[in-house]
Amino acid sequence: MTKVIFFSKGAFGVGEHEIRYFVIPMIVVFILGIAGISAPIFPVVQFVIVGLIAILAGTVCGWIAVGIRLLVKWFQTRKEHHAVKKVAVASKR
C-alpha cells in the first residue's frame, strides 16, 4: 500500500496540522473579497487581485502563527536548559 504525504515537517516545522494557519485565512479573505465585489467593470482583474490578496494574507498569517509557535518553543527550551544548568551548578557544591 502506498502512502502519499502532501505536507511533512520541513526546516521550519510546518507540518500538516500547521497548514490550517495558512489555508483558513486565505479562504476567509477570498470569500469576503469575492462578496465585496460589486458591479465589476473588469471581473477577471478583480478576481485575480482578490486571489493575490488572499494568498498574501494567508501567507502572512501562517508565518506569524508558525513564528509565534517557534518562539514559544525556543523560550521553553531556553528555560529548561537554564533550569538544568542551575541544578548542575547546585549539585557541584
Side-chain angles (χ1 to χ4, degrees):
M1 183 174 178
T2 304
K3 184 176 181 181
V4 178
I5 299 174
F6 291 104
F7 300 104
S8 62
K9 285 204 168 212
F12 292 106
V14 180
E16 54 189 52
H17 295 293
E18 286 84 13
I19 296 301
R20 66 177 175 256
Y21 299 125
F22 292 88
V23 175
I24 292 173
M26 280 186 205
I27 293 171
V28 169
V29 169
F30 185 75
I31 290 172
L32 293 175
I34 294 299
I37 295 176
S38 60
I41 297 172
F42 300 107
V44 175
V45 174
Q46 289 184 346
F47 183 78
V48 170
I49 290 171
V50 167
L52 291 174
I53 292 171
I55 291 170
L56 181 66
T59 304
V60 169
C61 290
W63 283 116
I64 287 172
V66 169
I68 289 171
R69 198 184 100 247
L70 288 174
L71 190 64
V72 167
K73 185 186 258 185
W74 180 76
F75 275 124
Q76 288 175 344
T77 304
R78 185 171 174 249
K79 183 179 171 184
E80 290 171 3
H81 179 69
H82 185 67
V84 169
K85 194 174 182 182
K86 192 183 247 186
V87 169
V89 170
S91 65
K92 286 183 179 180
R93 292 182 189 187

